Amino acid sequence: MRIRLAHADEWPAVLAVVREAFAATDPRYTELVERIHDSADFVPQLSFVAELDGVLTGNVILSKIPLHTATGDVQARLLSEFAVLPEHRHHGVGAALIRNALRGAERGTASMVLAAGPPSYFQQFGFRRSSDLGVMPPNDTISDRDFQMVPLPQYNPAEDRGLTALPAYFGESGVRWP
């Protein structure tokens, strides 16, 4: 398996992975991923794919999300989407994608990576409850327990505290995220 940056010309193949990965849970998820991709929040340098024998088996996207602090907005990244084809799950594909995305984010300008999901999964990558670090979930649908963050080298614990705001396309897609 190889993890690499997604190429712009393979976006249809990435969407096919997302479509298949979420077919059993919420097929509208593909629309959310398209909205992320088409937004100003999409960061091509933080869009990765897993490839096995020339076939895409998974992908991850870290997108921009603002953190509103007492002194202004801080750049953060959101693990807004990751998908693995059903037949490749539980083989380390998702973990490899997330680790690679976090390494990519460390080289950027953001101070943290945020994610929503089970702490038991995300803690293996260094995520901690965001509220313990002064970063609150964007809304009541994401529990404090499940909103996680990884501080990046640019993180300033005294100043990088506040409330995140999910971009409108999360609600517009009709998908309950996470």
Side-chain angles (χ1 to χ4, degrees):
M1 172 181 62
R2 182 171 83 129
I3 307 295
R4 60 172 175 78
L5 279 174
H7 302 142
D9 63 346
E10 64 189 352
W11 188 246
V14 169
L15 286 177
V17 168
V18 173
R19 193 172 295 110
E20 188 174 338
F22 289 96
T25 55
D26 193 341
R28 298 173 300 171
Y29 202 76
T30 305
E31 180 185 343
L32 173 60
V33 174
E34 287 180 293
R35 287 175 183 256
I36 294 167
H37 179 264
D38 294 342
S39 77
D41 300 325
F42 180 71
V43 183
Q45 302 85 353
L46 296 175
S47 175
F48 297 93
V49 294
E51 182 181 49
L52 181 64
D53 299 326
V55 176
L56 297 188
T57 59
N59 77 294
V60 65
I61 295 173
L62 297 184
S63 61
K64 297 175 187 175
I65 185 171
L67 172 66
H68 306 299
T69 73
T71 59
D73 286 353
V74 170
Q75 285 210 21
R77 297 294 174 258
L78 178 66
L79 198 157
S80 49
E81 185 274 327
F82 82 101
V84 176
L85 293 176
E87 64 270 22
H88 294 279
R89 291 181 184 151
H90 309 294
H91 293 93
V93 176
L97 284 163
I98 291 172
R99 284 188 184 99
N100 201 68
L102 290 173
R103 281 192 302 274
E106 287 177 352
R107 295 186 297 270
T109 59
S111 65
M112 66 192 69
V113 173
L114 299 158
S120 59
Y121 182 73
F122 285 105
Q123 287 173 353
Q124 68 181 310
F125 307 109
F127 282 87
R128 301 183 309 193
R129 184 188 312 227
S130 65
S131 62
D132 291 347
L133 300 169
V135 177
M136 305 314 293
N139 56 48
D140 292 341
T141 64
I142 301 172
S143 78
D144 177 64
R145 182 185 77 82
D146 291 341
F147 199 57
Q148 310 283 312
M149 79 176 254
V150 170
L152 296 174
Q154 298 82 348
Y155 173 68
N156 179 336
E159 294 181 16
D160 296 347
R161 308 170 71 72
L163 179 66
T164 56
L166 282 179
Y169 48 77
F170 279 90
E172 293 166 355
S173 68
V175 174
R176 185 187 181 287
W177 184 91

